[in-house]
Amino acid sequence: AQTVTQSQPEMSVQEAETVTLSCTYDTSESDYYLFWYKQPPSRQMILVIRQEAYKQQNATENRFSVNFQKAAKSFSLKISDSQLGDAAMYFCAYLETYNTDKLIFGTGTRLQVFP
Amino acid sequence: DAGVIQSPRHEVTEMGQEVTLRCKPISGHNSLFWYRQTMMRGLELLIYFNNNVPIDDSGMPEDRFSAKMPNASFSTLKIQPSEPRDSAVYFCASSTRTGRGNYGYTFGSGTRLTVV
């Protein structure tokens, strides 16, 4: 069964600095999607960034980028120029491309941003 | 589009009562998911539907939980009878596959359920 592991329960960063959140996953599939979701105190689950496994190029969305290492099954999220509004829980998630629509989540990383 | 709409936003009920959570998916999305979020267990998939048909209910904790999707625009998650350990945030999400690289998976705002 596929699993997603986030080994950092909490992280902190100073405003304007850069922080990287780690995620590893386990799968025997070659084609899949990976996601990072943000959950602020409002509890809304917000899609931050999406990566397709067949694409070698790392996805980027403004200040958010990923480092996707398929062979190592690693999918880290880098937040540049951190802002106070980035403070939230961040969840890494895995989705098989063909056989199922089930999104499998990691346990989350709580990010604190200090002024 | 208004997104995935869940109601109520908050629900407080007494142990033993029936609770019904509601969800309206995004129009055109053909998959619907119910997740439960707790501090202890994180985000758990309870059940998901594809084209209104339940595909996988292996995450439903016990017979007290049931879910229905009578049509493409509405789903319910029912707990009867409710217990204090059911207290959690329940999320509904919907999704569609519209070609490679254009996969959408959108969450509602969640229902915070408290059973006292």
Side-chain angles (χ1 to χ4, degrees):
Chain A
Q2 291 82 8
T3 58
V4 177
T5 303
Q6 293 179 250
S7 58
Q8 306 155 317
E10 290 192 1
M11 292 283 285
S12 61
V13 64
Q14 199 139 22
E15 207 174 0
E17 297 296 308
T18 295
V19 65
T20 298
L21 308 185
S22 301
C23 173
T24 59
Y25 57 95
D26 187 23
T27 184
S28 58
E29 301 295 327
S30 61
D31 203 3
Y32 47 86
Y33 293 90
L34 295 164
F35 303 83
W36 279 97
Y37 278 87
K38 171 185 177 181
Q39 187 179 38
S42 66
R43 81 172 181 244
Q44 180 71 46
M45 293 288 285
I46 302 166
L47 177 63
V48 174
I49 201 164
R50 174 194 295 119
Q51 175 79 43
E52 296 179 71
Y54 80 95
K55 289 186 177 178
Q56 292 186 337
Q57 186 174 8
N58 289 326
T60 299
E61 289 288 342
N62 300 314
R63 298 182 296 106
F64 298 87
S65 61
V66 299
N67 183 5
F68 173 48
Q69 301 290 326
K70 190 172 184 179
K73 295 179 183 175
S74 170
F75 183 61
S76 60
L77 175 69
K78 185 171 82 172
I79 306 174
S80 304
D81 186 25
S82 298
Q83 300 175 359
L84 295 177
D86 295 335
M89 283 289 288
Y90 286 82
F91 293 94
C92 179
Y94 166 96
L95 175 69
E96 259 184 55
T97 301
Y98 295 113
N99 296 327
T100 177
D101 285 332
K102 290 169 63 172
L103 197 58
I104 300 170
F105 286 92
T107 51
T109 297
R110 181 172 301 282
L111 177 66
Q112 293 182 305
V113 182
F114 296 102
Chain B
D1 200 319
V4 177
I5 300 173
Q6 289 188 249
S7 64
R9 184 154 174 82
H10 303 277
E11 177 81 27
V12 180
T13 191
E14 291 186 348
M15 183 174 63
Q17 296 297 306
E18 178 181 293
V19 176
T20 300
L21 310 181
R22 297 172 175 78
C23 176
K24 177 179 168 52
I26 290 176
S27 177
H29 280 194
N30 59 358
S31 292
L32 182 140
F33 310 80
W34 283 101
Y35 281 84
R36 178 172 68 176
Q37 185 178 33
T38 61
M39 288 292 292
M40 292 296 293
R41 300 173 70 92
L43 279 156
E44 304 173 276
L45 177 65
L46 301 178
I47 185 171
Y48 85 92
F49 297 82
N50 187 255
N51 293 323
N52 312 339
V53 176
I55 300 301
D56 185 344
D57 64 354
S58 59
M60 296 286 263
E62 48 199 274
D63 292 345
R64 298 184 297 106
F65 285 71
S66 63
K68 294 182 180 180
M69 191 165 186
N71 56 62
S73 59
F74 184 66
S75 177
T76 59
L77 178 68
K78 185 178 294 187
I79 309 172
Q80 166 64 22
S82 58
E83 297 182 4
R85 60 192 167 115
D86 301 331
S87 298
V89 178
Y90 291 81
F91 284 101
C92 176
S94 69
S95 73
T96 187
R97 294 175 183 262
T98 57
R100 203 172 193 89
N102 191 22
Y103 188 88
Y105 206 108
T106 307
F107 283 82
S109 299
T111 295
R112 180 177 294 281
L113 173 65
T114 304
V115 183
V116 298

